[in-house]
Amino acid sequence: MGSAITNGSEAGTKMIKGSQLLNAHNRQAAIQFKSLHLLVVAFFLWILYVHILGIYFFTKGFLLTRLVLDYKSECSVPPLDVPHKSSPTDGCWHPKYFQKAIIIIIDALRYDFTIPNRGEPQHFHNALTFLHETAARQPNDAFLLPFIADPPTTTLQRLKGLTTGTLPTFIDAGSNFAGTAIEEDNLLAQLRGANKTLVHLGDDTWQSLFPGYFDVHLSHAYDSLNAWDLHTVDNGVNEHLLPLLMPEKVDEWDVIFAHYLGVDHAGHRFGPNHPAMTAKLLQMDDVLRQLVDSLNRDTLLVVMGDHGMDTKGDHGGESDDEVEAALWMYSKKGIFGRSQLEYIDPPRTAKERPVAQIDLVPTLSLLLGMPIPFNNLGAPIEEAFIGAEEPQWQSLATINALTGAQINKYQREYAVARGLDESMSSGPQAAWVHALNLWHMLGSEQKPITKSLQAVYYAFSGYQTETLRLCRSLWAKFNILSMLQGIGVMALALIALVDFARSDSKKRADTIPPLLKRVGVGILAGCLLGSLWSFVVTETSLIDGMAFGSALGGLTGHGSLLWRSSSKITLRLSFWNWLAVIFTLSLSIGFASNSYTIWEDEILLFFLSSFALVALASSLRQANTIDCVSGVYHSCLFLVLGRLASLSRLCREEQMPSCRSTYYASATSSTSAIWQLLLAYLLAIILPEAIKSYYQRTKSYEGSARFWIGFAMRLGLLGSAVYWTLDAADDGDWFQISNVTLTNIRVNLAQIILAIAFGAGTTTFIWAAPCVRVEIASPLEDSPNGSGPKPQSLTVLGYANVHGSRFFLLFSAWLLGVVLVQKPMGGSMLGLLGLQVLSLLEIVDSNALSRSAIGPIILALLGSFHFFKTGHQATLSSIQWNAAFVALKTIHYPWSPILVVLNTFGPQILTAVAVPLIVLWKQPSKKMGLLGDVASAMAKHLLYYAVINLATTMWAGWLRRHLMLYRIFCPRFLTGAAVLLVIDLVGALVAVGGLRWNLVAINEVFGWE
């Protein structure tokens, strides 16, 4: 008996030691995995860093910039000898016409908002009638003209043009939400220099552009970015503007700048064809009538739009609707006129007698007796100076000569500063010499005849036009070296991704530590060499030198490891990998064509449909019946879902009339139709059930999956549907509830849903156990040999998809969050995207493609396709800025930009989060090399976006003189760059980062291999 006890004790000791060894092994394996996982994340963050630098250097050389001269025009130094003696009192360079001015900017006032419509009326027609009425009935008091903006049609860039008289550069568009002070000579600086009291009311962008210019006691600025608020800014302007016109207040100011935003915000929120637009235009009509009644003879009233809006109420691009604003000038002096009798009535369309917005600067300067700003390129507006009774050609000739002389002065200084060859300005110079000769000949005539005066006028006008043409070409000057630097860095980063993606999965993880070590050494060496280079080459700044050196050094470090390992990129690819390459390269090459780029959504649909058909044929060849049936079913489902998603469209201008928008209620609206709200409720009912069915096929609908999918996600989707119902109720005034109350309810509801998605959803994913359930079955009878009862049987339900079912919780949480920030139509399309992802996972499993490139590439194609299906295009005007207010009442950084990013790039973000599922779906719990396989899949996914970005970058650079550069190729390059950076970040931190909690949770239950 003692021997038996001893043997039992030894066995127990061995079991304890074995258990301790196993636990020690698991702890060591877990530590090793976590360390290696951090290095993999670090690798992808390095790729993000390199992409940022590559895009920066190309953008720095590509987006147009111009040299800003610091010269200021002076009252005492006219650019041309004229009879008038310059003085601040009587007028600089030319006799002044007005002592005071009220300049009204009605943001986004499109020209056709101001003219009568005798056809089928829309909500923006025949509401603001006062401008046309006065211009037609009192032509000596007022005139109304089309006011053409230079793109980009964003408010900040337009205000720069309206005050300096210069052309905008595309690079300024990035600062539309963070305006920087205008330091070059401008109209406000001239007024301030003459000790004029300036008052600003409305859009706070003016305060950013002209800090310290305005009287602090009389000025009142309001937040300009809350596009959901139609009334606060306008009501605030009205509250303070009209009292300033009272007799006791009129001596306290000289020039008032009042910037209304209601029309613009109504367009952004509802579109132009909405009753809210009618209400705002009627309000503006009433305000202008009151202003005119209170105006005195010495005050000039100017009303203008800074830009227009497209059919959805957005702006930023260069379509006709976006650039065609309105300009109206009024005075009780009766000094305005027309050069021809047929010009008395305002133009019937914006194509007749348009004036450029930069023409306002010399016009206002001369009317107010100010010097024309030094950098001005505009010409005086004819109607303002031609006179009331009969054409005053003497006045027109003089003011155009002064303007032309100032432009010539600027042209000479700019040429010297830029070191331009004289031959480049030969055209304008010849026009200048001709105009100047005519001017001198005019001075020799005792009483100039009309024909001579007209000749001088038209000669200087021609010179201004020719100079403007030259300046447009000069400012389209690209820094080729910087562009090549950016392209080179992005190309080398592409090679690094290719090498990482194709490396052997067993060795991939092992190569990360030495790779990052070499990259780190290369970055440090590159920074040092780059800083030294910046001191040698004075044109290179220290920051640029170090940045480029760090990028090149890191890539060189990677290349040294690639060279040392004698790795060679081979073309031994499977059929599926070749298909992935063909899809990517075909799309990239096609971006050289403007029509191909315009119809990108249709091309993506063709590629996805082609994949579904190929997958269908491949599935039919599977020997396993289950794989065959599953593959065929999901290939057909994938195809059908893609065709359903294609029904949602937002057409860009270039696609018309071959395209019909269905994303919004109509082509002229930015709100959802009532029937689209039903889609949000159907989504809340159908999507959780569909996901549940996929879980039940592998018996994975257990544990946290039941709570999250069956309750939390369904509740969140239902809340999202209610949110958009409340939004529609607010837009349509369905309930007798104040807008403030509805807004509070809606915003609080959205915040709760986001908390469910990214708070509860992420928490559930991090802490959840595997979606499995263990069943222990007791035998019903003894063993047939009489040795005792049968052993108990243990069944793990959900084991077949233990990795995939758990990681899908993370995808579904992000899906819920992104659905909320989309319109109901967009949210429904994301529901179809989720089902297509599940179908793709089953196709990949049925055809054993978990290590192929086709899965990650199709996910990228899906994300790009649904980018268009959620109401977006590769244009600035399609950005849905209203998303910034889904869960907020006002702009809050960084949350408002994050919401816009989720709305804009939501489909690509979701498909990036889904990349690990390609590897994890229906894989054994202890499969080796999952981290390396996921990293490879993510590298392949990033390769698609990196290739697209490199292609659009190269085509934009190559086609930099193309007519459609800034309408098609440049926006597509900017879209590709933004998407790449977003996916780099999400892929590294969310997709690959989230893999840590997935593998740790599963291996802690089933043990580490």
Side-chain angles (χ1 to χ4, degrees):
M1 182 175 180
S3 175
I5 293 173
T6 302
N7 292 337
S9 176
E10 291 177 355
T13 302
K14 289 181 179 179
M15 290 180 62
I16 293 172
K17 289 183 177 180
S19 177
Q20 290 175 343
L21 289 173
L22 180 62
N23 290 336
H25 165 75
N26 285 337
R27 286 194 298 270
Q28 183 179 1
I31 293 172
Q32 184 179 2
F33 164 76
K34 292 176 182 178
S35 301
L36 193 57
H37 174 266
L38 286 176
L39 293 179
V40 172
V41 172
F43 170 79
F44 285 108
L45 290 176
W46 170 65
I47 292 293
L48 168 63
Y49 172 73
V50 175
H51 283 154
I52 290 174
L53 293 181
I55 292 169
Y56 164 74
F57 280 105
F58 179 84
T59 304
K60 181 171 173 283
F62 176 72
L63 294 184
L64 305 186
T65 57
R66 64 181 174 87
L67 178 65
V68 176
L69 302 181
D70 294 330
Y71 298 101
K72 309 289 184 182
S73 295
E74 298 180 17
C75 182
S76 59
V77 186
L80 194 68
D81 290 333
V82 291
H84 174 72
K85 184 178 181 181
S86 296
S87 73
T89 305
D90 300 328
C92 298
W93 305 1
H94 192 270
K96 70 163 60 174
Y97 292 78
F98 299 99
Q99 299 293 333
K100 298 177 181 292
I102 301 174
I103 300 171
I104 306 292
I105 298 94
I106 301 178
D107 208 289
L109 181 64
R110 208 167 71 190
Y111 183 70
D112 60 341
F113 291 3
T114 66
I115 57 177
N117 176 71
R118 294 177 178 83
E120 183 177 352
Q122 299 191 53
H123 287 288
F124 54 82
H125 287 139
N126 304 326
L128 180 53
T129 59
F130 181 64
L131 305 184
H132 189 275
E133 288 175 4
T134 51
R137 296 176 183 175
Q138 303 167 250
N140 295 336
D141 292 339
F143 61 85
L144 174 65
L145 293 171
F147 200 39
I148 307 303
D150 288 293
T153 48
T154 50
T155 294
L156 185 142
Q157 285 69 46
R158 293 294 78 247
L159 294 185
K160 287 184 177 180
L162 288 168
T163 55
T164 63
T166 58
L167 298 174
T169 55
F170 203 91
I171 200 168
D172 288 337
S175 59
N176 192 46
F177 300 101
T180 54
I182 295 178
E183 297 179 354
E184 62 184 304
D185 197 11
N186 61 82
L187 176 61
L188 277 78
Q190 291 292 342
L191 290 168
R192 185 188 184 200
N195 297 318
K196 302 294 183 182
T197 301
L198 308 182
V199 176
H200 161 253
L201 303 171
D203 186 345
D204 61 357
T205 306
W206 289 83
Q207 299 287 347
S208 300
L209 295 177
F210 305 101
Y213 278 54
F214 303 106
D215 186 283
V216 294
H217 302 292
L218 300 178
S219 300
H220 300 273
Y222 299 88
D223 180 17
S224 61
L225 296 180
N226 189 353
W228 285 48
D229 185 351
L230 275 60
H231 307 295
T232 299
V233 177
D234 291 2
N235 292 343
V237 173
N238 291 338
E239 178 186 352
H240 298 99
L241 174 60
L242 294 175
L244 289 176
L245 301 184
M246 302 297 290
E248 62 272 17
K249 289 282 189 178
V250 76
D251 292 330
E252 296 182 12
W253 56 270
D254 293 299
V255 180
I256 298 175
F257 296 88
H259 194 144
Y260 289 90
L261 291 173
V263 171
D264 179 69
H265 288 183
H268 282 301
R269 184 172 178 183
F270 304 107
N273 191 23
H274 190 276
M277 182 62 75
T278 306
K280 293 310 299 183
L281 292 174
L282 287 172
Q283 181 189 25
M284 293 297 99
D285 190 82
D286 180 63
V287 168
L288 294 176
R289 292 177 189 273
Q290 294 183 57
L291 284 175
V292 167
D293 289 341
S294 304
L295 210 63
N296 60 38
R297 284 178 54 85
D298 289 329
T299 303
L300 171 68
L301 176 60
V302 181
V303 178
M304 73 182 89
D306 55 342
H307 51 74
M309 63 175 68
D310 64 13
T311 55
K312 306 184 314 320
D314 297 319
H315 55 87
E318 55 179 314
S319 67
D320 288 348
D321 284 342
E322 292 171 271
V323 302
E324 293 172 351
L327 172 67
W328 181 79
M329 286 192 178
Y330 178 86
S331 163
K332 292 185 176 179
K333 279 189 174 182
I335 61 172
F336 300 143
R338 313 290 188 272
S339 60
Q340 300 180 37
L341 289 177
E342 55 266 30
Y343 288 172
I344 290 179
D345 287 334
R348 291 171 294 179
T349 71
K351 300 295 185 292
E352 303 175 25
R353 294 157 44 207
V355 296
Q357 287 194 349
I358 58 175
D359 294 347
L360 181 69
V361 173
T363 303
L364 284 181
S365 297
L366 294 171
L367 288 175
L368 296 175
M370 292 291 108
I372 299 173
F374 189 87
N375 298 331
N376 167 71
L377 293 171
I381 298 172
E382 180 180 278
E383 284 79 356
F385 299 97
I386 198 167
E389 301 299 329
E390 59 182 28
Q392 300 294 319
W393 294 107
Q394 177 74 57
S395 176
L396 278 176
T398 302
I399 63 169
N400 275 273
L402 283 168
T403 305
Q406 178 55 48
I407 292 174
N408 181 257
K409 190 175 180 181
Y410 167 70
Q411 184 185 11
R412 292 198 311 271
E413 295 295 342
Y414 192 90
V416 171
R418 279 292 194 190
L420 301 178
D421 190 273
E422 292 184 2
S423 61
M424 297 187 65
S425 60
S426 58
Q429 192 60 29
W432 165 251
V433 171
H434 172 66
L436 194 60
N437 288 335
L438 291 177
W439 173 257
H440 290 318
M441 291 172 59
L442 190 66
S444 63
E445 298 181 17
Q446 292 184 351
K447 188 177 181 181
I449 60 174
T450 299
K451 187 175 181 180
S452 299
L453 293 169
Q454 289 177 334
V456 171
Y457 167 59
Y458 291 122
F460 280 108
S461 295
Y463 165 70
Q464 183 268 342
T465 302
E466 187 66 19
T467 303
L468 194 59
R469 181 200 60 77
L470 174 65
C471 289
R472 290 183 191 276
S473 64
L474 286 178
W475 294 343
K477 188 175 182 180
F478 303 89
N479 187 335
I480 304 299
L481 177 60
S482 183
M483 292 166 61
L484 291 175
Q485 284 179 308
I487 291 174
V489 168
M490 287 186 278
L492 291 174
L494 193 67
I495 294 174
L497 276 174
V498 169
D499 175 66
F500 186 81
R502 72 176 183 84
S503 60
D504 181 41
S505 62
K506 295 181 180 179
K507 299 180 180 179
R508 187 178 299 116
D510 297 334
T511 61
I512 287 287
L515 170 63
L516 290 180
K517 182 179 179 181
R518 287 174 177 266
V519 167
V521 172
I523 289 175
L524 292 176
C527 285
L528 178 61
L529 293 175
S531 61
L532 293 175
W533 177 259
S534 66
F535 287 109
V536 175
V537 181
T538 55
E539 294 181 358
T540 303
S541 68
L542 177 62
I543 294 177
D544 284 354
M546 294 180 66
F548 183 70
S550 66
L552 206 58
L555 291 166
T556 303
H558 171 270
S560 67
L561 185 65
L562 182 66
W563 177 266
R564 186 171 182 177
S565 63
S566 301
S567 299
K568 295 180 180 179
I569 298 177
T570 63
L571 295 179
R572 294 194 301 269
L573 300 176
S574 67
F575 166 78
W576 289 105
N577 286 334
W578 271 115
L579 189 62
V581 171
I582 290 171
F583 283 159
T584 305
L585 292 183
S586 299
L587 195 62
S588 302
I589 295 170
F591 286 128
S593 165
N594 56 348
S595 59
Y596 192 97
T597 305
I598 290 168
W599 293 99
E600 182 183 353
D601 56 339
E602 294 297 314
I603 305 298
L604 290 168
L605 177 61
F606 171 76
F607 285 165
L608 291 171
S609 300
S610 300
F611 164 76
L613 294 175
V614 173
L616 175 63
S618 175
S619 299
L620 288 171
R621 299 177 57 193
Q622 298 301 313
N624 186 291
T625 303
I626 295 177
D627 287 340
C628 177
V629 173
S630 176
V632 169
Y633 169 74
H634 286 99
S635 298
C636 294
L637 180 61
F638 187 91
L639 180 64
V640 171
L641 291 173
R643 300 304 302 184
L644 281 176
S646 68
L647 298 178
S648 173
R649 303 197 67 176
L650 177 70
C651 303
R652 57 187 294 165
E653 182 190 16
E654 296 85 359
Q655 292 177 327
M656 306 301 290
S658 303
C659 177
R660 187 173 70 89
S661 294
T662 59
Y663 187 77
Y664 294 109
S666 69
T668 58
S669 173
S670 57
T671 59
S672 300
I674 301 301
W675 65 268
Q676 291 174 337
L677 295 176
L678 298 177
L679 296 178
Y681 289 96
L682 289 176
L683 181 70
I685 296 171
I686 297 173
L687 184 59
E689 288 299 321
I691 296 174
K692 175 182 174 182
S693 69
Y694 280 89
Y695 272 70
Q696 288 177 330
R697 291 171 191 176
T698 55
K699 301 186 183 303
S700 301
Y701 194 63
E702 303 291 344
S704 297
R706 287 181 176 273
F707 164 76
W708 175 253
I709 297 170
F711 175 72
M713 186 181 184
R714 190 189 304 276
L715 181 65
L717 291 173
L718 182 61
S720 178
V722 173
Y723 171 88
W724 287 109
T725 303
L726 292 174
D727 179 72
D730 190 10
D731 293 345
D733 295 327
W734 294 354
F735 308 132
Q736 298 301 317
I737 304 175
S738 70
N739 291 338
V740 174
T741 302
L742 276 177
T743 299
N744 290 333
I745 295 173
R746 191 177 67 239
V747 168
N748 290 331
L749 178 60
Q751 292 175 353
I752 292 171
I753 297 169
L754 290 176
I756 293 174
F758 297 115
T762 303
T763 302
T764 299
F765 169 74
I766 290 175
W767 298 105
C771 300
V772 297
R773 179 164 61 89
V774 178
E775 285 188 352
I776 301 176
S778 300
L780 298 177
E781 55 185 21
D782 293 341
S783 299
N785 56 10
S787 60
K790 289 182 179 179
Q792 293 178 324
S793 62
L794 185 147
T795 304
V796 181
L797 301 179
Y799 186 78
N801 194 20
V802 65
H803 286 291
S805 60
R806 192 186 183 285
F807 195 88
F808 194 85
L809 297 177
L810 179 63
F811 173 82
S812 60
W814 278 78
L815 177 61
L816 172 59
V818 177
V819 163
L820 172 67
V821 299
Q822 305 289 338
K823 296 281 188 179
M825 192 71 163
S828 303
M829 295 306 104
L830 291 182
L832 296 181
L833 170 62
L835 296 179
Q836 282 189 286
V837 168
L838 287 168
S839 297
L840 175 62
L841 297 177
E842 293 293 339
I843 293 171
V844 168
D845 175 65
S846 300
N847 292 272
L849 299 174
S850 63
R851 288 189 174 180
S852 170
I854 193 65
I857 296 301
I858 292 301
L859 279 176
L861 291 172
L862 269 177
S864 301
F865 174 67
H866 283 273
F867 167 80
F868 295 100
K869 301 302 105 181
T870 52
H872 299 97
Q873 286 282 351
T875 58
L876 291 174
S877 59
S878 71
I879 299 175
Q880 298 172 24
W881 300 111
N882 285 351
F885 305 98
V886 165
L888 300 166
K889 298 176 185 177
T890 59
I891 293 289
H892 287 285
Y893 294 96
W895 309 117
S896 296
I898 289 175
L899 290 173
V900 174
V901 169
L902 286 176
N903 171 275
T904 306
F905 304 121
Q908 292 99 324
I909 290 172
L910 289 174
T911 50
V913 174
V915 168
L917 288 168
I918 295 292
V919 175
L920 301 176
W921 197 253
K922 294 186 178 180
Q923 295 298 325
S925 67
K926 293 189 177 183
K927 182 179 179 180
M928 295 288 291
L930 283 179
L931 175 59
D933 287 343
V934 168
S936 176
M938 181 54 64
K940 293 166 185 172
H941 188 73
L942 291 178
L943 270 172
Y944 169 85
Y945 292 109
V947 171
I948 295 299
N949 177 62
L950 181 61
T952 54
T953 298
M954 294 174 65
W955 291 131
W958 182 259
L959 300 170
R960 60 188 180 276
R961 301 294 180 185
H962 195 282
L963 181 64
M964 291 293 179
L965 175 65
Y966 290 109
R967 178 169 287 199
I968 295 175
F969 297 111
C970 183
R972 187 59 187 87
F973 148 67
L974 294 174
T975 302
V979 171
L980 176 62
L981 298 183
V982 169
I983 300 308
D984 277 342
L985 186 63
V986 171
L989 299 182
V990 181
V992 178
L995 185 66
R996 168 179 176 152
W997 285 277
N998 206 71
L999 293 184
V1000 168
I1002 291 168
N1003 288 322
E1004 284 181 349
V1005 173
F1006 295 100
W1008 292 85
E1009 187 64 34

